[in-house]
Amino acid sequence: MLTAITITQIYVPDQDQALDFYVGKLGFEVQTDMAFGPMRFLTVSLPAQPDRAVLLEKPGPPSMSEETAAEVRTAISKGVAGGHLFFACDDAYKTHADLKAKGVEITEEPVDQPYGIDFGLRDPFGNHIRIAQLKAA
């Protein structure tokens, strides 16, 4: 029986630039960074949740042809590749201000929702990210 989600994957065309964004701006930590055959296996996780990692995968061989990888890179840049990450925070307004000060591209300002306060942003490649301050249950 399945017991947990351990790794979530998104495509990033440049893994070093992804590290700068996810570690340098969002506060993730590198969990794994190793050569794995012909690919770089790169995962990051939040310090408070090391059992949940995000695989920052560069599109290309061996999982897909270079032609398909080019199509995936185009889809990422248009924001239609399906890469979405959802995060929780303690204070949406403070988190929003901190990220804006770091130069993060904010796509939606904080909004009161029935479930809490959330806002949207994109990583440098076009993947969508939502951050929410959830209401107490």
Side-chain angles (χ1 to χ4, degrees), residues 28-60:
F28 281 73
E29 294 179 342
V30 174
Q31 190 179 69
T32 307
D33 188 355
M34 62 184 251
F36 192 68
M39 66 178 273
R40 180 180 180 187
F41 189 80
L42 177 60
T43 63
V44 295
S45 61
L46 291 169
Q49 198 175 24
D51 59 331
R52 273 304 287 273
V54 177
L55 171 63
L56 304 172
E57 184 176 358
K58 183 176 180 179

Side-chain angles (χ1 to χ4, degrees), residues 3-137:
T3 60
I5 296 173
T6 58
I7 299 175
T8 301
Q9 176 270 358
I10 60 169
Y11 287 119
V12 296
D14 183 318
Q15 290 174 307
D16 290 324
Q17 188 179 5
L19 275 179
D20 180 58
F21 179 77
Y22 286 94
V23 173
K25 296 193 185 320
L26 297 188
F28 281 73
E29 294 179 342
V30 174
Q31 190 179 69
T32 307
D33 188 355
M34 62 184 251
F36 192 68
M39 66 178 273
R40 180 180 180 187
F41 189 80
L42 177 60
T43 63
V44 295
S45 61
L46 291 169
Q49 198 175 24
D51 59 331
R52 273 304 287 273
V54 177
L55 171 63
L56 304 172
E57 184 176 358
K58 183 176 180 179
S63 64
M64 64 184 71
S65 69
E66 186 50 47
E67 179 182 331
T68 300
E71 292 174 10
V72 170
R73 287 189 293 273
T74 298
I76 295 166
S77 69
K78 292 179 179 180
V80 297
H84 287 79
L85 296 172
F86 298 85
F87 300 107
C89 68
D90 294 326
D91 184 333
Y93 291 107
K94 181 178 182 331
T95 301
H96 172 268
D98 291 346
L99 293 175
K100 202 168 191 176
K102 291 179 181 179
V104 171
E105 178 190 354
I106 305 294
T107 57
E108 285 183 54
E109 298 296 314
V111 175
D112 285 314
Q113 304 284 4
Y115 52 84
I117 303 164
D118 83 342
F119 63 97
L121 56 114
R122 294 177 80 179
D123 74 8
F125 316 105
N127 292 304
H128 298 277
I129 298 172
R130 302 242 18 120
I131 300 176
Q133 175 186 336
L134 302 172
K135 287 184 178 177

